[in-house]
Amino acid sequence: MARPATRTPPTPAARDAAGSEWWRTAVIYQIYPRSFADSNGDGIGDLPGITARLDALVELGVDAVWLSPFFTSPQKDAGYDVADYTDVDPLFGTLADFDALLARAHALSLKVIIDLVPNHSSSAHPWFQAALASAPGSPERARYLFRDGLGADGDVPPNNWQSVFGGPAWTRVNEADGTQAPRKAQWYLHLFDTSQPDFDWTNDEVKELFRGVLRFWLDRGVDGFRVDVAHGLAKKEGLPDWTPDPSLGMSDHQEAAPYWAQPGVHPIYRDWHEVLAEYGPDRILTGEAWVEPLSKLADWVRPDEMQQTFNFTFLETPWDGPRLKKVVDDSLAAFGGVGAPSTWVLSNHDVIRHATRLALTPPPPQGEGLGPNTKLYPDDVVGLRRARAATAFMLALPGSAYLYQGEELGLPEVIDLPDSARQDPTFFRTSGANYGRDGARVPLPWDVASPSFGFGPAGVSGPGASRDDASWLPQPATWPSYARDAQLGIPGSTLEFYREALAARRTHHLASNELVWLPSPDPAVLVFRSGAVTVIANTGATPAALPDGRVVLASGPVGTDRVPGDTTAWIVT
Ligand code: NOJ
Ligand code: CA
């Protein structure tokens, strides 16, 4: 049943109490600022836009938000290229706007986590500019990874590493000192775009810079940090050559790489843990670490390191009973083994939205994205049905869950973006071979009636202007049916399904109960018990028997005694 639009989910007082360890059970909603809500009509979302829409997230029933970067940045990688870690980019507003956002969120009992991007800065960062203006071997260069090239002229990169976004991971500089012989011109490492030089994390000034960044935002009152590329900060001594396995995709699951998951990352997180602890027990670090297996990833959340780390193994698990059961068991064992909560996630700004991805078997590897030439035609109806079933399964699991803006509306990946609109550096660095991630980043539709579906106030004006001018990536003409106001209060809508799920998760303590698997005659059908709730997830096509009791949540229509395929139900007995 849909609930009235005005209903506000209960806020347990315990969540706000110091020492509550709120993050062990929290549902954390990812806001991608440039695509959430635009307050000033320039087509790009901003901080005042977010503040004005926070009530909608309370209505949804989440506990916290994570904001992707809004810091000073040339926006070469949508803000993951930071030029000033302690200021707000004018595109998104001002520090005062951030303070207002934080105050409003806290008044609504929403925690706020912000993004920390420590692996690399923007090439526009004053430190990198100073490095370019300084000589090889200088202290300014020592904050980054500058090296001499190989070969007689030094024109061969220092090693064979490839950028996650495609192309070489090294760029040669033009030395400022024109008197230098060309062979002296150095190269710098960038695991991502040329505009994102990697820091040298053995350098004490780098360590001190980031302690200061943490304190700057903790002093303002943030509840924690999502740590970008948390598997990449330390590089193997000597930067040895390494050739990735091409079948594994570009960015992830290359565990043997000399730049991923090196032991040197752990002292950094222990250091940060102590900085956060100065602010009490409830500030958190969440790692974006693409590390497998889960037993190794658990090292990131040992008691003196981070509080949480994303579970990408879960995200990448197909909609398949035995494989889902295994990843849940592996996660609970690995994270539980170090006293950390398991986390769960199905979508974010870097992956194909799960309402599309789950209709593809298999989906393209992470980072490749989808576009007109991919020649894959995911069925939106199948995708959304599986996505809702997968979400109902995820939100019943013990631990903390992450949602990505727009999934509560059932948004699919936008596949047919014109090449001219695409902005992901992946697209350009692979000459269009990989579409990248823009299809998951299209601005949200809030209201059916307005030009940008309520994303911003921009109207269609001037000769030649079109609806596309109202948002930085064009919203598909088919999106009115996904708009928030078209779903609010409508029984069976995806938005109402999410609201019911989040409310029932809270009522029945699903995040803190113990999970107990129940026997199932069909491996495609998973059944488990969590407190008073029996959860049944039918990943197959054959209907399964509905357990006895009262259905408190169903991801799609269920019969009186049957759970159809691609459907999850929660039953209270
Ligand atoms: C992971 C971020 O989520 C992604 O968007 C970004 O491009 C890379 N890290 C580089 O910062
Ligand atoms: Ca704006």
Side-chain angles (χ1 to χ4, degrees):
M1 277 292 291
R3 291 168 204 278
T6 51
R7 192 190 62 88
T8 301
T11 305
R15 202 175 75 199
D16 292 329
S20 68
E21 299 200 331
W22 60 274
W23 41 272
R24 288 188 177 274
T25 55
V27 174
I28 303 174
Y29 180 99
Q30 180 189 357
I31 293 179
Y32 194 65
R34 54 171 42 234
S35 301
F36 189 70
D38 172 23
S39 72
N40 62 354
D42 65 357
I44 300 178
D46 45 51
L47 300 184
I50 296 169
T51 307
R53 294 283 193 183
L54 285 176
D55 287 357
L57 302 184
V58 175
E59 232 171 33
L60 177 61
V62 301
D63 303 293
V65 296
W66 147 38
L67 303 176
S68 280
F70 50 80
F71 316 105
T72 312
S73 161
Q75 302 292 317
K76 301 281 190 208
D77 184 22
Y80 283 95
D81 49 318
V82 180
D84 183 347
Y85 289 90
T86 54
D87 206 352
V88 173
D89 196 286
L91 199 59
F92 298 114
T94 62
L95 274 173
D97 290 329
F98 178 78
D99 291 341
L101 187 163
L102 191 61
R104 178 71 187 144
H106 283 166
L108 293 168
S109 292
L110 289 171
K111 306 283 187 191
V112 177
I113 295 170
I114 64 169
D115 226 299
L116 186 75
V117 189
N119 179 67
H120 46 266
S121 71
S122 162
S123 52
H125 192 284
W127 275 14
F128 191 72
Q129 290 300 311
L132 290 180
S134 303
S138 60
E140 287 82 0
R141 291 231 167 154
R143 297 158 173 161
Y144 293 91
L145 289 159
F146 281 86
R147 293 289 183 275
D148 293 333
L150 305 177
D153 297 327
D155 56 1
V156 177
N159 69 24
N160 71 349
W161 295 0
Q162 295 293 297
S163 152
V164 170
F165 293 157
W170 295 91
T171 291
R172 198 172 195 193
V173 302
N174 292 317
E175 294 295 357
D177 177 356
T179 64
Q180 286 175 339
R183 63 180 295 277
K184 295 275 188 180
Q186 287 197 306
W187 299 72
Y188 66 90
L189 178 73
H190 51 87
L191 289 182
F192 295 89
D193 189 50
T194 320
S195 62
Q196 295 167 298
D198 282 48
F199 283 115
D200 182 344
W201 268 93
T202 64
N203 183 289
D204 286 339
E205 286 185 277
V206 171
K207 294 177 191 165
E208 202 44 46
L209 172 74
F210 277 91
R211 285 186 203 113
V213 172
L214 292 173
R215 290 201 171 94
F216 177 87
W217 294 105
L218 290 165
D219 285 341
R220 292 196 110 79
V222 302
D223 299 289
F225 303 86
R226 172 268 190 193
V227 179
D228 190 61
V229 198
H231 53 320
L233 277 56
K235 277 76 180 178
K236 192 169 195 153
E237 181 107 33
L239 313 182
D241 273 357
W242 185 73
T243 304
D245 176 344
S247 70
L248 295 179
M250 295 191 41
S251 67
D252 46 335
H253 307 320
Q254 303 281 358
E255 280 73 31
Y259 40 82
W260 295 148
Q262 297 297 307
V265 298
H266 297 295
I268 301 169
Y269 304 140
R270 288 192 195 107
D271 183 36
W272 294 357
H273 183 102
E274 287 183 14
V275 173
L276 265 69
E278 292 166 17
Y279 292 79
D282 281 335
R283 316 278 183 122
I284 71 164
L285 296 168
T286 295
E288 188 231 10
W290 292 82
V291 173
E292 285 199 323
L294 285 156
S295 53
K296 183 169 185 189
L297 181 60
D299 286 352
W300 270 249
V301 286
R302 286 176 288 193
D304 58 349
E305 296 199 29
M306 299 194 178
Q307 281 71 17
Q308 292 189 343
T309 186
F310 293 138
N311 188 341
F312 294 122
T313 311
F314 178 75
L315 184 150
E316 296 201 319
T317 302
W319 181 236
D320 171 89
R323 293 182 65 180
L324 283 169
K325 183 168 190 292
K326 177 169 169 25
V327 72
V328 169
D329 283 340
D330 289 352
S331 302
L332 295 174
F335 294 122
V338 290
S342 287
T343 66
W344 315 101
V345 62
L346 288 163
S347 277
N348 66 34
H349 66 294
D350 289 330
V351 302
I352 296 169
R353 282 185 175 278
H354 71 285
T356 298
R357 192 181 70 238
L358 294 177
L360 295 169
T361 44
Q366 192 273 332
E368 281 191 20
L370 285 174
N373 293 331
T374 318
K375 306 280 186 245
L376 288 170
Y377 307 98
D379 181 324
D380 279 355
V381 175
V382 172
L384 182 57
R385 190 177 168 83
R386 287 189 186 151
R388 288 172 53 144
T391 297
F393 179 71
M394 173 178 88
L395 290 176
L397 297 171
S400 175
Y402 280 81
L403 305 179
Y404 174 50
Q405 68 178 38
E407 68 170 86
E408 77 280 16
L409 305 176
L411 290 187
E413 185 83 356
V414 181
I415 297 175
D416 56 358
L417 286 172
D419 287 1
S420 57
R422 292 192 183 268
Q423 301 207 12
D424 186 343
T426 309
F427 183 70
F428 302 105
R429 289 185 63 87
T430 61
S431 306
N434 290 344
Y435 281 103
R437 305 158 294 174
D438 290 319
R441 300 175 175 181
V442 175
L444 292 189
W446 293 88
D447 314 317
V448 174
S450 82
S452 60
F453 303 132
F455 169 61
V460 181
S461 61
S466 74
R467 197 167 54 74
D468 296 352
D469 299 330
S471 68
W472 69 277
L473 285 172
Q475 298 163 302
T478 52
W479 269 20
S481 59
Y482 293 103
R484 183 173 186 274
D485 72 346
Q487 300 194 39
L488 194 64
I490 304 297
S493 71
T494 300
L495 179 60
E496 288 303 327
F497 157 71
Y498 267 75
R499 294 178 69 202
E500 289 172 23
L502 292 170
R505 169 184 161 96
R506 203 187 288 282
T507 302
H508 299 288
H509 311 289
L510 299 183
S512 46
N513 290 337
E514 191 189 349
L515 177 154
V516 180
W517 294 109
L518 299 179
S520 165
D522 179 351
V525 179
L526 299 180
V527 189
F528 67 83
R529 187 90 181 153
S530 173
V533 178
T534 301
V535 175
I536 175 165
N538 186 353
T539 68
T542 312
L546 180 69
D548 289 337
R550 178 171 57 93
V551 175
V552 292
L553 184 81
S555 66
V558 291
T560 48
D561 59 354
R562 288 279 177 269
V563 179
D566 293 338
T567 303
T568 297
W570 300 356
I571 297 107
V572 171
T573 44

